[in-house]
Amino acid sequence: MITVKSKYTGNLSTEAVHVKSGNGIVTDAPVDNNGKGEAFSPTDLVAAALGSCMMTVMAIAGEQKGLNMEGMNVESTKIMSANPRRISEIKMDFFWENCTLSDKDREWIKNIGLTCPVALSLREDLKQSIEFHF
């Protein structure tokens, strides 16, 4: 079954629709690559996907263990290289105020995130700089 349907809508923008849910997203080329920067760029979505994937697998594992995972959040920074133009690094800073996990569970849950499907699918030479502030 098709997962996503996307179309070019002009002016360096695209629209993607998640087939099962009907939810959609719009992308725009970034300002540094002839776009207006009015929406996520495709490479922004890669950074967002990494953070979302990490939190999702951490929440799945944590909740299966009876841990309350609410309050965790991440800030992502994407760094581009010029030649070839590609993402060279994604910096992720995870925060979790009032985290009640033990030190042992914190290390366990961090490892779960670091081995999420998106992290393992990205090129090995794409630097993933991950910091946990909890």
Side-chain angles (χ1 to χ4, degrees), residues 5 15-18 21-26:
K5 289 186 177 183
E15 216 172 77
V17 176
H18 181 254
S21 69
N23 289 327
I25 57 171
V26 173

Side-chain angles (χ1 to χ4, degrees), residues 104-124:
K104 182 179 177 183
D105 282 340
R106 287 175 197 230
E107 291 309 308
W108 170 75
I109 207 75
K110 290 173 188 179
N111 189 57
I112 296 289
L114 292 169
T115 57
C116 80
V118 171
L120 297 177
S121 298
L122 296 172
R123 291 172 53 126
E124 288 186 21

Side-chain angles (χ1 to χ4, degrees), residues 32-33 43 79-89 123 125-126:
D32 67 346
N33 199 23
T43 52
I79 299 168
M80 299 294 291
S81 64
N83 192 13
R85 184 167 173 81
R86 66 178 189 90
I87 304 168
S88 59
E89 181 178 4
R123 291 172 53 126
D125 61 346
L126 191 161

Side-chain angles (χ1 to χ4, degrees), residues 21-71:
S21 69
N23 289 327
I25 57 171
V26 173
T27 68
D28 186 24
V31 174
D32 67 346
N33 199 23
N34 303 313
K36 297 175 190 164
E38 294 178 343
F40 284 102
S41 72
T43 52
D44 292 341
L45 293 176
V46 174
L50 179 58
S52 293
C53 187
M54 291 178 74
M55 285 193 294
T56 299
V57 298
M58 291 163 74
I60 290 168
E63 289 177 4
Q64 287 175 346
K65 199 171 177 177
L67 304 173
N68 181 351
M69 305 298 291
E70 291 180 16

